[in-house]
Amino acid sequence: MANEMDILVLEQSETMIYFRWTDTEDVCRIKRDEQIVYTGTQNLFKDEGLKKGELYTYTLERLDTSGNWIDKIKLHTGTENRKKDSINRLEEIVLTAIVSKGRISLAWGEIEGITQFDIYRNGKFIETVERNQYTDRQVPMNEEFTYWIRGKRPVAKSEERFSEEKFTLAKVFGTLNWNSSKEKAAMEEFWLTKKIAPLDSLLSDEEKPKIYPVWHFRYNTFLPELILKNPNLLSPFPYFQGDGREFEPDSLHYRTQVSFTVDLKEEESSFDYDKDVGPTIGYNWRKKFSKADVASSEGIELEKIEETGHKVSITLKHSVGNPITTSPNIDYAVSAAFYRDGSYDIIGIHDQSPNHEVYLKLDDGEWMEIHQTESEGLAYMAGPIASQYWRISNFY
């Protein structure tokens, strides 16, 4: 009787994916997406000549004595995307999901300076791990799951140049800022998210129908308070009007809103976008109206940077200032890849202020939250403060 199969080793480079599994001595086969790329009795496979920074789905099965393909394992993984000038380590690494009957395993690349990660399933904390992997066993076969992997590190460990200087400035900022702590201001946060379809769907033998998804994306920045104090004591506007709301994708109150639609048609995709900036209203020391203006949206840039038969890639760069007084800009950046099989891979970086909310909608469905963070205060838009890095992908 053959041993039950498991993935023992997984390695990636920019153009290669290698994995080794339990040696069953049986004939095994591997599919990359829908194409059979290996059949034989070896217990290892090396896929070379792949594209940098691309996601792939592998299916591993073995042949039993009755001529049936059994012990199905699926891997949703990819190649690395190393960049000399990258300031977001999450751009370069790979988050892999390995699924089999009743089990989900996650593995991700190392991030210098982070020695432990907190793991959440469907928003609930599970445990803290000191390795770059986690396995969830006895998983129900008919449920969808969302996993969060969260880690922190000091700014001094950042890939950015001058990070030691930035670390010192961040600690000073945290000491001076009444709303925070020097530890918070000097700690970068890294959030990885993986959405995984029900296992009985992922491991089904039925061929999935071809889909040509239409994805709608929305990114809002907003201030949750109705009136908030200006941290700049020298400003002629001691108070500002906020947006007075909680997280809500369709709210008409925001600092900025960027929306785009990618229609992954069979041949060439279409890409449309809108960008809007809400009014800035300053109050005097009595909290009475003093001045209002609307900042330019020229600092919001969207571009379709690549299209292949496999995917469409979009970049979004955002830098919008305060039109009535000197203050730091609201800065963030997003890179997103949408695959024709319905997968997506979205990477972002932003300051810890104001509130950030990011949503996706498939076709005419409901908005789905993919990233939300609460503001640490207006002063957190200042340059020396630690950033937040996030990445989300799905396995469907």
Side-chain angles (χ1 to χ4, degrees):
M1 182 176 170
N3 297 323
E4 185 178 348
M5 285 201 306
D6 195 6
I7 301 296
L8 305 176
V9 175
L10 172 65
E11 297 174 359
Q12 296 107 339
S13 72
E14 291 188 341
T15 59
M16 178 275 299
I17 295 172
Y18 165 85
F19 51 95
R20 180 166 55 85
W21 57 93
T22 312
D23 188 1
T24 65
E25 299 183 358
D26 290 330
V27 171
C28 294
R29 76 175 178 188
I30 296 169
K31 295 179 185 175
R32 185 208 310 123
D33 300 324
E34 297 303 318
Q35 179 186 359
I36 296 174
V37 290
Y38 172 76
T39 304
T41 56
Q42 289 189 24
N43 67 321
L44 55 88
F45 175 70
K46 187 184 231 181
D47 206 2
E48 297 182 282
L50 301 176
K51 193 173 178 188
K52 176 179 175 180
E54 192 98 350
L55 292 181
Y56 298 93
T57 300
Y58 293 93
T59 304
L60 169 64
E61 300 166 295
R62 72 177 178 89
L63 193 65
D64 70 4
T65 53
S66 302
N68 298 313
W69 293 105
I70 62 169
D71 286 351
K72 183 180 290 187
I73 300 174
K74 280 203 165 187
L75 297 82
H76 195 235
T77 188
T79 47
E80 294 181 334
N81 188 22
R82 296 192 177 274
K83 300 178 179 178
K84 282 186 178 180
D85 57 350
S86 175
I87 60 170
N88 188 348
R89 175 66 175 137
L90 297 187
E91 280 187 306
E92 303 182 294
I93 65 173
V94 179
L95 170 57
T96 297
I98 303 171
V99 303
S100 55
K101 188 176 181 181
R103 188 168 73 166
I104 296 172
S105 294
L106 303 171
W108 56 95
E110 290 186 7
I111 302 172
E112 185 183 354
I114 301 182
T115 57
Q116 59 183 32
F117 295 87
D118 293 334
I119 310 296
Y120 297 77
R121 180 180 57 229
N122 291 348
K124 294 182 179 179
F125 174 75
I126 305 174
E127 65 175 284
T128 299
V129 298
E130 295 184 352
R131 302 168 65 188
N132 290 64
Q133 59 188 69
Y134 170 75
T135 296
D136 201 2
R137 294 178 171 84
Q138 295 182 319
V139 177
M141 296 292 289
N142 60 348
E143 293 182 31
E144 188 175 300
F145 290 95
T146 298
Y147 292 89
W148 296 345
I149 302 160
R150 297 190 170 178
K152 299 179 181 179
R153 73 174 182 190
V155 174
K157 295 289 186 182
S158 173
E159 281 86 7
E160 290 188 59
R161 295 165 60 209
F162 316 121
S163 57
E164 284 285 357
E165 179 184 357
K166 184 173 179 178
F167 180 62
T168 304
L169 287 168
K171 287 200 294 185
V172 170
F173 163 85
T175 305
L176 296 176
N177 186 31
W178 64 89
N179 232 357
S180 184
S181 69
K182 60 184 179 182
E183 289 80 13
K184 176 74 177 175
M187 294 296 287
E188 297 179 315
E189 297 192 1
F190 292 78
W191 293 6
L192 282 161
T193 302
K194 194 77 174 183
K195 288 183 174 285
I196 298 179
L199 295 182
D200 53 12
S201 169
L202 287 174
L203 299 172
S204 170
D205 290 328
E206 291 182 20
E207 187 174 337
K208 293 185 179 178
K210 288 280 185 185
I211 61 169
Y212 301 100
V214 179
W215 287 107
H216 305 275
F217 174 97
R218 175 164 293 169
Y219 196 131
N220 296 329
T221 61
F222 69 96
L223 296 164
E225 305 91 342
L226 268 174
I227 297 178
L228 62 161
K229 188 171 179 59
N230 188 345
N232 181 0
L233 301 179
L234 302 178
S235 171
F237 310 104
Y239 296 93
F240 284 108
Q241 178 176 298
D243 299 298
R245 69 172 178 92
E246 298 178 347
F247 293 107
E248 166 54 50
D250 291 316
S251 174
L252 301 177
H253 301 281
Y254 44 77
R255 297 300 83 221
T256 61
Q257 181 179 87
V258 180
S259 301
F260 67 73
T261 298
V262 179
D263 186 346
L264 292 158
K265 296 172 183 172
E266 188 170 357
E267 295 175 2
E268 186 176 357
S269 70
S270 64
F271 171 58
D272 300 295
Y273 65 85
D274 292 299
K275 53 185 181 178
D276 190 37
V277 179
T280 297
I281 300 174
Y283 294 132
N284 62 22
W285 63 274
R286 293 187 179 191
K287 300 182 182 177
K288 300 295 184 184
F289 175 85
S290 182
K291 187 177 180 181
D293 201 355
V294 177
S296 168
S297 64
E298 286 186 3
I300 303 174
E301 301 175 5
L302 292 97
E303 185 181 2
K304 181 167 79 170
I305 58 168
E306 181 187 31
E307 174 160 9
T308 67
H310 203 33
K311 68 173 183 179
V312 173
S313 298
I314 309 293
T315 60
L316 163 57
K317 294 177 182 177
H318 180 289
S319 184
V320 176
N322 186 319
I324 64 174
T325 189
T326 302
S327 68
N329 291 349
I330 300 175
D331 290 323
Y332 69 76
V334 173
S335 59
F338 297 94
Y339 290 77
R340 286 190 158 83
D341 67 357
S343 298
Y344 55 79
D345 187 16
I346 304 172
I347 307 162
I349 175 175
H350 61 75
D351 296 327
Q352 296 186 58
S353 179
N355 281 33
H356 292 251
E357 58 180 0
V358 191
Y359 301 93
L360 270 185
K361 182 164 63 175
L362 179 59
D363 299 325
D364 296 322
E366 300 291 320
W367 283 115
M368 170 179 61
E369 167 213 329
I370 62 169
H371 182 68
Q372 290 181 345
T373 59
E374 295 185 358
S375 172
E376 294 292 337
L378 285 181
Y380 268 77
M381 291 191 294
I385 314 311
S387 299
Q388 183 167 100
Y389 306 83
W390 60 277
R391 182 171 188 172
I392 180 170
S393 57
N394 67 332
F395 187 13
Y396 272 54

